[in-house]
Amino acid sequence: MVDWITADGLTDYDDAVAWMETRAADVRAGTANEAIWLVEHPPLYTAGTSADVADLTDPDRFPVYTSKRGGQYTYHGPGQRVAYVILDVEKRGKDIRKFVHDLERWIILALDQFNVEGEVREGRVGVWVERDDKPLTITGAKAEDKIAALGIRIRKWVSFHGLSINVEPDLSHFDGIVPCGISEHGVTSLVDLGLPVTMGDVDVALKKTFGEVFEAKQSHSL
């Protein structure tokens, strides 16, 4: 069983990490269900294990947290749905590469609920959308913007941290970092794409598509 938990208001980042670590330990001990925790954070930057300090271009803009998740610098803030995934990767095949692929597929299926075609790119973390409304790149290809990010940590084959989908954040807040170390592409959101999507709509899409990827029974939301 997977518990779906939605936090009210804005969740402090340190509190979120402490909760995830406790829940992951409880899942491994068999004393708690797996969980998907849906939160929003106040504006902040996090530095993953591969972060390059040169990519923190405005270090005084928002609080910066060192994170043990994989990846580089990312932004979290109001209007962005963060889904923390506390799942048993051992019983899902002990294949981390497949697990990351499954998270990407879950994001893509959720975006498809809004007729948004999310795509992954070799060598680029996250989920991307092509922009027909922007000029072609210098190579003649369509411009691409990032709409979702992901970064996980595995401890004793239980995952924590997770993914984020830009619903309606202030996109200028991404200017203080080079998101995930990628400077040649932009960042977008569902609302920026012209879709009147709410956080609740995204939550429904995530819940609806989760079972298509992970094939797990869902408990009642908490």
Side-chain angles (χ1 to χ4, degrees):
M1 297 291 290
V2 178
D3 293 338
W4 284 78
I5 307 165
T6 304
D8 294 327
L10 301 179
T11 301
D12 177 82
Y13 186 75
D14 283 335
D15 290 346
V17 172
W19 186 92
M20 285 189 286
E21 291 190 348
T22 298
R23 184 65 174 238
D26 290 344
V27 169
R28 174 47 56 223
T31 58
N33 289 336
E34 297 175 295
I36 304 295
W37 189 28
L38 303 174
V39 309
E40 285 181 84
H41 288 301
L44 59 91
Y45 299 129
T46 67
T49 55
S50 301
D52 182 344
V53 68
D55 289 339
L56 181 61
T57 58
D58 191 354
D60 299 321
R61 186 168 189 177
F62 298 126
V64 181
Y65 294 86
T66 300
S67 173
K68 295 180 181 178
R69 61 161 175 80
Q72 302 184 49
Y73 280 102
T74 193
Y75 165 77
H76 292 315
Q80 182 190 71
R81 173 52 84 210
V82 177
Y84 288 129
V85 293
I86 299 86
L87 298 176
D88 188 338
V89 182
E90 181 176 32
K91 75 178 184 181
R92 300 173 193 280
K94 296 179 74 172
D95 186 333
I96 296 175
R97 185 181 297 273
K98 179 181 182 301
F99 182 71
V100 171
H101 174 74
D102 285 345
L103 290 173
E104 292 172 334
R105 180 167 166 251
W106 181 30
I107 294 169
I108 289 169
L109 288 173
L111 292 174
D112 186 59
Q113 299 298 301
F114 309 108
N115 295 316
V116 173
E117 185 177 358
E119 299 177 307
V120 295
R121 292 289 183 263
E122 185 69 28
R124 276 196 257 144
V125 178
V127 175
W128 302 79
V129 293
E130 292 186 342
R131 300 299 302 263
D132 293 326
D133 57 336
K134 287 188 174 183
L136 298 178
T137 67
I138 59 174
T139 64
K142 288 184 178 180
E144 295 179 342
D145 286 343
K146 190 172 190 176
I147 195 168
L150 63 106
I152 62 166
R153 180 171 173 79
I154 306 288
R155 180 181 295 160
K156 297 182 178 180
W157 290 108
V158 176
S159 69
F160 53 111
H161 295 281
L163 59 92
S164 60
I165 298 175
N166 296 331
V167 183
E168 192 179 8
D170 184 337
L171 295 178
S172 71
H173 288 181
F174 287 88
D175 295 344
I177 58 172
V178 178
C180 298
I182 299 170
S183 59
E184 61 270 28
H185 299 282
V187 180
T188 190
S189 69
L190 289 166
V191 171
D192 182 55
L193 293 174
L195 300 170
V197 177
T198 68
M199 198 69 68
D201 295 332
V202 171
D203 293 348
V204 169
L206 288 169
K207 292 177 183 178
K208 180 179 179 180
T209 55
F210 180 83
E212 296 182 46
V213 180
F214 294 103
E215 300 179 353
K217 294 181 179 179
Q218 301 178 33
S219 69
H220 295 294
S221 299
L222 302 178

